[in-house]
Amino acid sequence: MKIGIVGSGVVGQVVGSRLVELGHEVVLGTRDPAKLDEKKRGADSLRGWVAGAGSRARVGTFSAAAAHGEIVVNATHGQSSLAALRSAGETNLAGKILIDIANELDASKGMPPLAIARDAPGGSLGERIQAAFSNVKVVKALNTMNANVMVDPQALAGGDHTAFICGNDQGAKATVRRLLESLGWRDVVDLGDITAARGMELLLPIWLRLWGKLGSIPFNFKIAR
Amino acid sequence: MKIGIVGSGVVGQVVGSRLVELGHEVVLGTRDPAKLDEKKRGADSLRGWVAGAGSRARVGTFSAAAAHGEIVVNATHGQSSLAALRSAGETNLAGKILIDIANELDASKGMPPLAIARDAPGGSLGERIQAAFSNVKVVKALNTMNANVMVDPQALAGGDHTAFICGNDQGAKATVRRLLESLGWRDVVDLGDITAARGMELLLPIWLRLWGKLGSIPFNFKIAR
């Protein structure tokens, strides 16, 4: 499948490499594709990423990534997601599935950063993206764990933990569920329409506390039931 | 141990009964102890509760419950917690451990109710209670699961799921941890100071979605790691 990723930081790179590994053709979209050798925080340079990811991987503009993808992934920082997606282009995104894995965090007051999401109508990034791009099928997913867990859930606790999805389009959610299952997810819980993105994004405050406490070990939420 | 519970709805009753069963002397505090026969939503009348809970159980005012307890539990609705605790009396609470299990929810816009907590300084009920009662040792706990799971975690998934605590006083948290362990909790995660109450209270939006989806089956968060 052709997949475009908007955002070329560590999350975009890790997800992109794994999707290539699974046989997909990936264009990793970055703000300025000329900066191939710039070191990314916690990640490879884009030249290094392409070299490592292999022949089905390319780097392009946000717009090239969106035009390429049958599915598009929003892997930008939440604070710049709307601007990045506008730059990716409404017509390039029209009618497509957009998997929103971003979180809107405010690090201006120190660490841990504060989640901007609120439990109110339009209070999540997922809802705001859906409202801004009404003919895109937004599915919120994978925003509740770190990138290594996203792409290799089986490496943590034998895969016995939970991925959440939500969105307004049933067909889009079915496609995203299959994609998650192909990554190794066994417990994918559909929370309903895109307003459930609030609950998913509001896992970040406790996630960040746990991250501060548990350090670099992989962890994730599981819904015991 | 002498335990006072402020709030006599279903949560206060279920927690109170279980604490009596464990050998504690419990005063269940209610707004108007004269209304012994009023039916409570989803719970017993207070006369029925006392009859069922046994000889170490009594009903009294908020103030009587707070005066009685070496440990006091806030089991009111979050929206009325501060008023109820003021009515319980600052001097009755002074120097004591207050286990805050409440959540502040707004049901005025329909179901599911909206969580009022925000990820900002003072954004949680736990922080606001600590700020209003500076000489009380507030420990946030047990606000992230339903009452039956609170008091009998072993009945769900063999007890393999997580209870969170946070608060500013290490000794108070150690006492609350032991109390939780006596209820059957095996995985009690200390998230740090009372500001972590934001993360705990902000689990409610996704909890309410899961509740809507899973129905009446017991469930809880587990931190897989």
Side-chain angles (χ1 to χ4, degrees):
Chain A
M1 196 177 266
K2 291 179 175 178
I3 300 181
I5 300 180
V6 176
S8 58
V10 59
V11 174
Q13 289 192 18
V14 169
V15 170
S17 298
R18 177 78 171 123
L19 290 171
V20 169
E21 206 174 279
L22 289 171
H24 302 289
E25 290 173 45
V26 172
V27 173
L28 191 66
T30 192
R31 195 170 304 276
D32 183 356
K35 295 185 176 166
L36 274 183
D37 294 301
E38 195 170 88
K39 184 77 186 82
K40 298 266 179 180
R41 191 168 55 175
D44 214 340
S45 71
L46 294 177
R47 192 184 303 278
W49 178 78
V50 169
S55 63
R56 286 184 302 272
R58 282 194 294 124
V59 169
T61 59
F62 289 156
S63 165
H68 165 81
E70 299 161 76
I71 292 178
V72 180
V73 177
N74 173 31
T76 57
H77 293 291
Q79 305 93 298
S80 51
S81 290
L82 281 167
L85 292 169
R86 283 198 194 96
S87 152
E90 207 161 338
T91 52
N92 291 327
L93 293 167
K96 294 180 178 176
I97 295 172
L98 176 68
I99 307 179
D100 175 30
I101 64 179
N103 286 297
E104 214 172 354
L105 300 173
D106 175 7
S108 69
K109 309 282 192 311
M111 295 298 281
L114 302 176
I116 288 169
R118 294 187 60 178
D119 191 16
S124 66
L125 179 64
E127 288 167 277
R128 286 195 289 275
I129 292 174
Q130 184 63 81
F133 297 88
S134 57
N135 59 357
V136 172
K137 297 163 188 166
V138 179
V139 179
K140 190 92 200 180
L142 297 180
N143 70 305
T144 57
M145 70 282 304
N146 79 19
N148 294 322
V149 175
M150 286 180 200
V151 300
D152 190 9
Q154 295 291 324
L156 166 61
D160 186 21
H161 47 100
T162 304
F164 305 103
I165 58 172
C166 73
N168 297 342
D169 189 282
Q170 297 302 326
K173 285 193 285 192
T175 300
V176 173
R177 178 186 289 274
R178 281 192 300 274
L179 192 65
L180 296 191
E181 286 169 355
S182 76
L183 294 168
W185 287 98
R186 294 292 163 262
D187 186 28
V188 178
V189 173
D190 180 352
L191 294 168
D193 68 17
I194 194 67
T195 63
R198 296 173 213 159
M200 291 172 65
E201 296 177 19
L202 286 169
L203 287 179
L204 266 286
I206 200 164
W207 190 95
L208 288 160
R209 285 280 177 158
L210 289 163
W211 182 56
K213 186 190 162 59
L214 300 172
S216 55
I217 69 160
F219 66 92
N220 189 25
F221 302 97
K222 170 191 159 146
I223 303 305
R225 58 196 189 274
Chain B
M1 197 177 266
K2 292 180 175 177
I3 300 181
I5 300 181
V6 176
S8 59
V10 59
V11 174
Q13 290 191 18
V14 169
V15 170
S17 298
R18 177 78 171 123
L19 291 171
V20 169
E21 206 175 279
L22 290 172
H24 301 289
E25 291 172 45
V26 172
V27 173
L28 191 67
T30 192
R31 194 171 305 277
D32 182 356
K35 295 184 177 167
L36 274 183
D37 295 301
E38 195 170 89
K39 184 78 186 81
K40 298 266 180 180
R41 191 168 56 173
D44 215 339
S45 71
L46 293 178
R47 192 183 303 280
W49 178 78
V50 169
S55 63
R56 285 183 302 273
R58 283 193 294 125
V59 168
T61 58
F62 289 155
S63 166
H68 165 81
E70 300 161 76
I71 292 178
V72 180
V73 177
N74 174 32
T76 58
H77 293 292
Q79 306 92 298
S80 51
S81 290
L82 281 166
L85 292 170
R86 283 199 194 95
S87 153
E90 206 161 339
T91 53
N92 290 328
L93 293 168
K96 294 180 178 175
I97 295 172
L98 176 68
I99 308 179
D100 174 30
I101 63 179
N103 285 296
E104 215 172 354
L105 300 173
D106 175 7
S108 69
K109 309 281 192 314
M111 295 297 283
L114 302 176
I116 288 168
R118 295 186 60 178
D119 191 16
S124 66
L125 179 63
E127 288 167 277
R128 286 194 290 274
I129 293 174
Q130 184 62 81
F133 298 88
S134 57
N135 59 357
V136 172
K137 297 163 188 166
V138 179
V139 179
K140 189 94 200 177
L142 296 180
N143 70 306
T144 57
M145 71 281 303
N146 79 20
N148 294 323
V149 175
M150 284 180 201
V151 301
D152 190 10
Q154 295 292 324
L156 167 61
D160 187 21
H161 47 100
T162 305
F164 304 103
I165 57 173
C166 72
N168 297 341
D169 190 281
Q170 296 302 327
K173 286 193 285 191
T175 301
V176 173
R177 177 186 290 274
R178 280 191 300 274
L179 191 66
L180 296 190
E181 286 169 354
S182 76
L183 294 168
W185 287 98
R186 293 293 162 262
D187 185 29
V188 178
V189 174
D190 180 353
L191 294 168
D193 68 17
I194 194 66
T195 63
R198 295 173 213 159
M200 291 171 65
E201 296 177 19
L202 287 169
L203 287 179
L204 265 288
I206 199 165
W207 190 95
L208 289 160
R209 284 281 177 157
L210 288 163
W211 183 55
K213 184 190 164 61
L214 300 172
S216 55
I217 70 159
F219 66 91
N220 190 24
F221 301 98
K222 170 191 158 143
I223 302 305
R225 56 199 191 272

